[in-house]
Amino acid sequence: NAGVMQNPRHLVRRRGQEARLRCSPMKGHSHVYWYRQLPEEGLKFMVYLQKENIIDESGMPKERFSAEFPKEGPSILRIQQVVRGDSAAYFCASSPGGGYNQPQHFGDGTRLSIL
Amino acid sequence: DQQVKQNSPSLSVQEGRISILNCDYTNSMFDYFLWYKKYPAEGPTFLISISSIKDKNEDGRFTVFLNKSAKHLSLHIVPSQPGDSAVYFCAATNQAGTALIFGKGTTLSVSS
């Protein structure tokens, strides 16, 4: 999975704190996607971003979650006032373009644990 | 409502034999399908894909078959190797969107 870099790999937060997950796409990729995986489940789409734009956020919870992909720097997935149910693995993927037939390449994920 | 289903949570195969992983989908608008392989504590790795205009795509030991009328696809791995032991995810998308819809995965164990 070289190329898409996610950090931190593990993040522990207490209920009510904020969690910030970072993703740097593969070189040459300008499209970023965030997915969440709960235990024993498949990955669930959250949000799709291009530089400075949110293209599709249909999978994002309406409250507490936000994402950005600034002109400079990594994409950030931000979870405010975390709750136990936010514990999951969060994966970022990137692709060179937004075409539906361009495979998305994934990072190794951030494991978020809420105490 | 699961749009992509992998009904076998696990599969055990001997080294050298064929592994067949199955996937069913319900949304007839899906027209691009992918298989990903995932090791523990790593992200999914893209394996192979197929467009709905084809019924077969082959890449080395991996072949994906698509049966649109049955809304079914399968991944064949031959010959299977111990290093193939991993969780395999089927995913689908369509031209209207870029979100991948994943199945729950099948854990493949290849014994030597």
Side-chain angles (χ1 to χ4, degrees), chain B residues 3 7-8 10 15 21 25 32 46 56 61 63-65 71 74 76 80 87 93 97 102 105-107 111-112:
Chain B
Q3 298 186 68
N7 292 319
S8 297
S10 62
E15 182 178 8
L21 298 101
Y25 61 96
Y32 188 62
F46 170 70
K56 176 183 175 181
R61 296 186 297 115
T63 303
V64 56
F65 296 91
K71 294 192 179 67
S74 60
H76 293 211
S80 301
V87 179
T93 188
F102 283 85
T106 296
T107 300
S111 56
S112 54

Side-chain angles (χ1 to χ4, degrees), chain A residues 4 6 23-25 32-35 75 90-94 105-107 109:
Chain A
V4 178
Q6 290 188 247
C23 169
S24 296
V32 165
Y33 314 80
W34 285 93
Y35 292 81
S75 175
Y90 291 82
F91 291 97
C92 169
S94 71
H105 298 271
F106 285 81

Side-chain angles (χ1 to χ4, degrees), chain A residues 53-70:
Chain A
N53 289 304
I54 296 175
I55 307 302
D56 180 358
E57 56 182 348
S58 58
M60 285 278 270
K62 297 295 181 213
E63 297 178 351
R64 302 187 299 108
F65 285 73
S66 62
E68 62 177 7
F69 189 15

Side-chain angles (χ1 to χ4, degrees), chain A residues 1 9 33 35 37 40-45 48 56 91 98-109 111, chain B residues 2 31-32 34 36 38 40-46 49 51 89 93-95 97-104:
Chain A
N1 294 308
R9 290 296 309 275
Y33 314 80
Y35 292 81
Q37 184 183 24
E40 310 302 323
E41 296 286 326
L43 282 73
K44 303 282 190 202
F45 168 77
Y48 162 41
D56 180 358
F91 291 97
Y100 77 104
N101 58 352
Q102 297 203 22
Q104 297 174 20
H105 298 271
F106 285 81
D108 284 339
R111 271 83 184 160
Chain B
Q2 244 189 309
D31 54 13
Y32 188 62
L34 309 91
Y36 284 83
K38 186 181 180 302
E42 293 185 10
T45 300
F46 170 70
S49 62
S51 166
F89 290 99
T93 188
N94 59 49
Q95 293 189 37
T98 51
L100 295 177
I101 310 300
F102 283 85
K104 290 188 176 184

